[in-house]
Amino acid sequence: MFGRFREIRFTAPLSEPLDMDAFHLPSSGRWRVVVFPGSPCNRLLFTRLLRTAPQGVDMVVLSRPGFGTGHTKVYPDFNEQVAALKPFLPGGPYGDMNVITLGVSYGGELALKAALDFPDQVHGVVTVAALIDEPHDYALKLEQIGGASAIEPFVPNRWHKVRTEIAERRGQIGPVLEALPSLKKPVEVLHGDFDALVPRSNAQTLIEALGPEADAALEIIPGGTHYLEMQYPRRLHRAIQRVISRAEQQTDQNGLHEAQSAGKTA
């Protein structure tokens, strides 16, 4: 146990089942937040977010496929990454709760794809410093240098995985962005104005991709770095609560419309 949260082990239903680990903050409430960390995935960056979580919200921080205990392969396919969410959806072994996703950096696009792939089970999204377009130029240069023949043999496997994920996301992000106008769920987009890895223009690109009819809000955080989950965890919790509140309103409105339609046909 780490305060109120604990480490758990589970099997994720990828194309080949994969043993994974996660941090889990259990709750008896109705809402669960599943967190997709960035690349390289390090769930230890989210301990402050877990320690400051309000009562009543169940939270899961994934060690994404490729970065769990004993993982040697890289899993750059978005479908494989998002499959790690399935045990925490309604009907899974961890109980039937309303789910929203939260994604940081590279995990931001995974959080959005999860909402697109499971529209009846994921009720909203929070993105934090989401990598939607490209990182800053110097980060791109580091990515390129890591592949140089003289350097590549000395690059740790963990960073080879990062280079592969960042490179192969470029062929997958387009379909996600094209599908975003169909996402009829509340979305909160958070980005720091002092982010040294992902330009805040990525946040504006995301808002534009969601479209003018989206239930989306953009918050640019003054002085915010790329690591808002450590710097301003309570801002993230407030964004989570806003998504939950709007998702509950959507549910109430849908229930009212269904009742009205039933009355008209009775």
Side-chain angles (χ1 to χ4, degrees):
M1 293 289 290
F2 303 84
R4 290 193 292 137
F5 64 96
R6 59 192 175 94
E7 185 178 52
I8 58 172
R9 300 280 296 177
F10 65 98
T11 300
L14 278 61
S15 57
E16 295 182 2
L18 181 67
D19 290 335
M20 290 189 56
D21 46 271
F23 283 151
H24 183 209
L25 175 65
S27 170
S28 58
R30 297 190 302 118
W31 286 92
R32 168 174 291 147
V33 180
V34 180
V35 178
F36 290 92
S39 188
C41 175
N42 185 353
R43 56 193 167 94
L44 291 173
L45 298 179
F46 296 85
T47 55
R48 193 175 182 207
L49 183 72
L50 291 167
R51 291 183 185 278
T52 56
Q55 297 286 343
V57 177
D58 186 286
M59 297 193 72
V60 176
V61 180
L62 300 171
S63 284
R64 293 191 294 98
F67 293 95
T69 302
H71 294 182
T72 56
K73 291 176 54 179
V74 61
Y75 296 85
D77 189 322
F78 281 2
N79 292 316
E80 296 281 68
Q81 290 289 330
V82 169
L85 167 82
K86 291 181 180 179
F88 304 100
L89 294 175
Y94 290 90
D96 293 341
M97 305 183 78
N98 299 316
V99 172
I100 68 172
T101 55
L102 184 151
V104 176
S105 193
Y106 172 85
E109 47 207 359
L110 302 178
L112 292 162
K113 180 171 172 55
L116 291 167
D117 287 357
F118 304 103
D120 296 329
Q121 297 163 295
V122 176
H123 298 279
V125 183
V126 179
T127 69
V128 182
L131 178 59
I132 298 299
D133 188 8
E134 289 289 347
H136 282 290
D137 288 345
Y138 86 90
L140 288 172
K141 290 178 181 177
L142 287 175
E143 177 191 339
Q144 295 164 1
I145 290 171
S149 58
I151 295 175
E152 188 173 15
F154 304 100
V155 176
N157 185 42
R158 185 175 182 84
W159 287 98
H160 279 303
K161 293 177 180 179
V162 173
R163 291 186 64 250
T164 301
E165 284 191 337
I166 299 304
E168 297 203 18
R169 63 168 286 280
R170 295 184 178 110
Q172 301 178 78
I173 186 62
V176 174
L177 295 179
E178 290 173 5
L180 284 182
S182 68
L183 181 62
K184 307 303 182 184
K185 309 290 183 181
V187 179
E188 289 277 329
V189 178
L190 277 63
H191 213 104
D193 71 353
F194 202 66
D195 191 322
L197 288 177
V198 177
R200 68 177 182 180
S201 59
N202 280 236
Q204 188 60 47
T205 298
L206 174 54
I207 288 292
E208 292 172 359
L210 286 162
E213 303 300 320
D215 180 6
L218 171 63
E219 181 181 4
I220 300 297
I221 299 175
T225 68
H226 191 64
Y227 301 99
L228 296 174
E229 68 276 9
M230 295 191 292
Q231 188 182 12
Y232 295 120
R234 288 182 175 84
R235 281 184 179 264
L236 271 62
H237 287 303
R238 289 197 288 271
I240 290 167
Q241 290 298 329
R242 291 194 294 269
V243 168
I244 289 174
S245 177
R246 302 209 306 272
E248 289 177 334
Q249 291 175 5
Q250 278 191 1
T251 300
D252 292 344
Q253 290 171 355
N254 291 339
L256 177 61
H257 292 157
E258 289 176 2
Q260 290 173 338
S261 296
K264 291 176 182 179
T265 59

